[in-house]
Amino acid sequence: MAISFDLTGKRALVTGANTGIGQAIAVALAQAGADIALAGRSEPAETLALIAATGRKCIDLRADLSSIAPVEALVDGVVNALGGIDILVNNAGIIRRNDLADFTEDDWDAVVDTNLKTLFFLSQAAAKVMMAQGSGKIINIASLLSFQGGIRVPSYAAAKSGVAGLTKAMANELAPKGVQVNAIAPGYITTNNTAALQADETRNRQILERIPAGRWGKPEDIAGAAVFLASGAADYVTGHILAVDGGWLAR
Ligand code: NAP
């Protein structure tokens, strides 16, 4: 049988897809044939237009994922509009930078709630649908800070390390149900999330010196890995954290 990366007929929910990595992933999944539900707190006008150009169906569901309040309704909304959920991409995330001594409870809670707690409970809600279908793919957006400590971002490192552990925990339980759970760990990608780093001349130079590929990644660099993990080609891949980092971790 030919290996297939085709996603025709699949239904994907992508969080935080109005910009950056989430936008690139949503567009690539649509280009591979999937219908898309976008979930985020901001108007995803550009993403809607890019997906419309692929000819795939796209729905826009507004949700603030800083708490788990909207997750059940969000999954119900996707099932009602698209008939099910085959792919969930947990991409929405935030970062707070501060010295350890000045780090506040809000800097901690905001990042851990959005990046880890909501990721789990949205996955739980989607997994119930996927288990009933007997198939599904959950793709979590992790980070290099799922492996490393980073600088001045303790809640982000804790949350993304938690995402790596949770990916494996969910994969173990869902594998017998036909649902695969994996994560992508992007390297340094030019998005809003890294705007402060790109603007800091010293940090920008230090980062570039450390990347074997010699450049920052683009959001599109992450999209191919997402299409692979969403496709039948990855049916026997589960519990894996795939670094897409220009060689950063290899160094
Ligand atoms: P981004 O452009 O800032 O995208 C973040 C997305 O998450 C935006 O769509 C944002 O919506 C959404 N979001 C944040 N808080 C939300 C909330 N409470 N409810 C709903 N949506 C929310 O940055 P990005 O780099 O593409 O980040 C995407 C993911 O990649 C994040 O999980 C990030 O941690 C991860 N990542 C990024 C890098 C990198 O180098 N850029 C590296 C490793 C991992 P708004 O536009 O409304 O804020």
Side-chain angles (χ1 to χ4, degrees):
M1 200 179 70
I3 302 291
S4 176
F5 299 93
D6 182 29
L7 300 181
T8 302
K10 301 295 184 189
R11 298 144 304 184
L13 169 58
V14 185
T15 67
N18 57 307
T19 179
I21 292 169
Q23 179 183 75
I25 289 174
V27 172
L29 295 177
Q31 287 168 341
D35 291 329
I36 311 291
L38 307 173
R41 60 184 174 184
S42 303
E43 169 84 41
E46 195 180 54
T47 312
L48 285 167
L50 290 166
I51 293 175
T54 70
R56 304 313 316 172
K57 190 169 176 181
C58 186
I59 60 164
D60 168 22
L61 299 170
R62 208 52 50 80
D64 180 351
L65 300 172
S66 60
S67 85
I68 67 169
V71 301
E72 296 281 349
L74 187 54
V75 167
D76 287 347
V78 180
V79 171
N80 287 337
L82 301 181
I85 303 183
D86 303 294
I87 302 157
L88 167 64
V89 182
N90 281 306
N91 167 79
I94 58 169
I95 194 163
R96 295 276 178 93
R97 299 174 200 279
N98 213 340
D99 292 338
L100 184 147
D102 299 326
F103 220 75
T104 66
E105 186 176 2
D106 184 61
D107 289 335
W108 181 269
D109 287 345
V111 173
V112 172
D113 283 356
T114 303
N115 294 14
L116 184 61
K117 185 175 179 181
T118 298
L119 179 147
F120 174 70
F121 284 100
L122 182 57
S123 299
Q124 181 191 59
K128 290 177 189 170
V129 177
M130 292 173 176
M131 284 191 283
Q133 292 171 173
S135 66
K137 308 277 189 186
I138 298 175
I139 302 168
N140 298 321
I141 303 305
S143 168
L144 295 177
L145 301 197
S146 300
F147 305 97
Q148 302 177 313
I151 299 170
R152 299 177 71 245
V153 287
S155 59
Y156 188 83
K160 293 296 188 180
S161 296
V163 168
L166 196 50
T167 298
K168 292 178 249 185
M170 293 194 295
N172 292 338
E173 190 169 339
L174 295 177
K177 314 284 186 189
V179 178
Q180 291 80 49
V181 187
N182 292 289
I184 298 170
Y188 285 85
I189 312 297
T190 51
T191 67
N192 298 337
N193 174 293
T194 52
L197 286 182
Q198 294 169 61
D200 180 331
E201 215 174 291
T202 307
R203 291 282 288 122
N204 189 35
R205 179 177 45 74
Q206 290 168 339
I207 287 165
L208 276 173
E209 282 170 359
R210 169 81 160 74
I211 302 172
R215 66 167 176 87
W216 283 69
K218 303 183 291 291
E220 297 72 29
D221 286 316
I222 306 304
V227 171
F228 164 62
L229 291 174
S231 75
D235 278 351
Y236 203 58
V237 179
T238 200
H240 187 67
I241 294 120
L242 174 57
V244 182
D245 65 352
W248 176 281
L249 286 178
R251 185 145 170 186

